Amino acid sequence: PKRLQHWARLSPEERVLDQWRAASGTPISDEAKIQFCVHALGDKFQLADVRLWSEHHKTKLSSSIFLEFFFDGAPEDISGEDDAFTKSFETMIEDTLRERRATEFKKKLQARSGGAGLRSRGAASEAGGEGGHRNESDEEWKQYLKGPAPATELTVRSIREAGCMLRFVVCQTSLSVSASEELGQIAFPEHFPINGVAQAVSTSTAPLPRWVYGLLAGT
């Protein structure tokens, strides 16, 4: 509660940056491991961690949030194919955020219509009552689909190796504040409330990533 009160007093840029700093060292959610998987070059690169790219946030606030995405693998896995991997990564981020925004928009419409939900395609219109809510929701949904998507402003700055005994492919990126907040809500729900409300956090049931088995084998 104290953190929520503190974040409520900050600007969006300050709040999201503070949340990413608070998330440092926290394991990513099972949902993030599934949604942020990169399929490229005939292989699957599972997300191991997302961290604030701190060297870009040492001074004044920026209109972008700089993040590093750590994927199981090594640079030689994509040797000579950096562009193909980068394209797959960018597509994955854009698709994930677009699907999340659509889901959240539907939830808002359903909540406003008292749980009536969106009308199924081709369903007959109803006059008044629940049908009125559905017609209104349908129209808002159509307008949402026609409207431009919020700017993600994703830029992949570089791809590097993690530089430690564990091997990762690291994508160094910059994103808009809103996009980085949405990513944080998926990856670290305990640090990124939605509309000021803390998210429920479930216990992880996903299998361990590949790098953990490599670490255990070396001990």
Side-chain angles (χ1 to χ4, degrees), residues 76-191:
E76 54 263 31
D77 294 337
I78 60 172
S79 179
E81 300 287 349
D82 289 21
D83 289 345
F85 180 86
T86 297
K87 180 62 177 176
S88 296
F89 170 77
E90 292 173 336
T91 299
M92 177 271 293
I93 293 293
E94 296 284 357
D95 288 349
T96 298
L97 291 181
R98 181 169 55 251
E99 291 173 7
R100 178 176 177 80
R101 288 162 181 163
T103 299
E104 291 301 317
F105 190 81
K106 286 181 179 179
K107 287 181 180 178
K108 290 179 181 179
L109 291 183
Q110 290 171 351
R112 284 177 51 188
S113 61
L118 294 175
R119 183 180 53 181
S120 60
R121 183 177 298 178
S125 298
E126 300 177 39
E130 183 179 306
H133 287 300
R134 287 182 175 177
N135 290 336
E136 181 181 348
S137 295
D138 279 352
E139 186 59 34
E140 290 189 57
W141 176 243
K142 291 176 183 177
Q143 292 301 317
Y144 170 82
L145 294 177
K146 291 179 182 178
T152 301
E153 299 175 11
L154 170 65
T155 301
V156 177
R157 304 293 176 126
S158 63
I159 295 178
R160 68 172 180 86
E161 189 172 6
C164 60
M165 64 178 294
L166 302 176
R167 309 207 72 189
F168 298 107
V169 175
V170 184
C171 286
Q172 297 178 307
T173 69
S174 62
L175 299 101
S176 67
V177 172
S178 61
S180 63
E181 180 178 24
E182 290 175 293
L183 289 170
Q185 289 170 345
I186 299 172
F188 303 107
E190 60 267 60
H191 296 290

Side-chain angles (χ1 to χ4, degrees), residues 32-84:
K33 294 174 185 176
I34 296 171
Q35 294 195 26
F36 296 144
C37 185
V38 174
H39 296 268
L41 309 175
D43 202 354
K44 180 175 72 172
F45 297 83
Q46 183 176 336
L47 183 67
D49 197 7
V50 189
R51 302 176 189 172
L52 189 69
W53 192 1
S54 298
E55 67 182 75
H56 287 278
H57 292 287
K58 291 181 179 179
T59 55
K60 63 180 181 180
L61 286 174
S62 170
S63 59
S64 298
I65 300 293
F66 293 79
L67 300 175
E68 294 185 304
F69 292 76
F70 290 71
F71 293 94
D72 286 344
E76 54 263 31
D77 294 337
I78 60 172
S79 179
E81 300 287 349
D82 289 21
D83 289 345

